[in-house]
């Protein structure tokens, strides 16, 4: 893996509305990272029972399958930038400023797993 994970910060990311990609993720990138996940707390569509959703926004280049003919092993493209949105009620009982805290992340990970 590369020393720094660099994403295209000029592109939009996000589902249910764009999420700004911090410019420092484009250059110089993040050291020792395999995946960057942007987390938002936004309402879901009216009538939806969904608690959270996620997806990827960008992938690495991978190694094309044609490379195997030259002896280079095939490597599929893999997600390097993703977005997770959490329904605000999932974090009920937490003050809004705590939503990015380790406790909120822990609650989110338990929800997603």
């Amino acid at each position: 893996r590369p020393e720094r994970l660099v994403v295209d910060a000029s592109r939009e990311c996000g589902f249910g509305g764009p999420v700004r990609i911090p410019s420092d993720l484009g250059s110089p990138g993040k050291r020792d990272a395999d995946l960057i996940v942007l987390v938002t707390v936004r309402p879901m569509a009216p009538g939806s029972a969904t608690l959270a959703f996620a997806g990827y926004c960008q992938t690495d280049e991978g190694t094309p399958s044609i490379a195997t003919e030259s002896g280079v092993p095939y490597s599929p493209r893999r997600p390097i930038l993703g977005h997770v949105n959490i329904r605000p009620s999932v974090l009920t009982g937490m003050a809004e400023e705590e939503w990015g805290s380790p406790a909120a992340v822990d609650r989110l990970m338990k929800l997603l797993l």
Side-chain angles (χ1 to χ4, degrees):
R1 82 175 179 200
E3 184 177 318
R4 290 185 175 273
L5 180 62
V6 178
V7 301
D8 183 351
S10 68
R11 294 174 43 195
E12 286 187 347
C13 183
F15 310 95
V19 178
R20 185 184 68 79
I21 300 172
S23 60
D24 66 328
L25 296 179
S27 181
K30 287 292 178 193
R31 182 181 301 277
D32 298 323
D34 291 317
L35 173 69
I36 297 169
V37 179
L38 305 173
V39 179
T40 56
V41 178
R42 297 179 177 164
M44 301 296 174
S48 172
T50 303
L51 298 178
F53 59 83
Y56 69 89
C57 307
Q58 293 181 29
T59 60
D60 68 4
E61 295 301 316
T63 304
S65 58
I66 196 158
T68 59
E69 295 172 11
S70 64
V72 177
Y74 168 69
S75 173
R77 297 170 67 106
R78 65 181 178 84
I80 59 171
L81 179 66
H83 172 224
V84 174
N85 184 68
I86 312 164
R87 176 187 290 272
S89 62
V90 170
L91 300 176
T92 299
M94 300 182 99
E96 189 171 335
E97 59 272 6
E98 294 178 290
W99 289 354
S101 71
V105 172
D106 182 62
R107 189 176 297 181
L108 167 67
M109 296 309 293
K110 287 177 181 170
L111 172 74
L112 293 174
L113 297 175

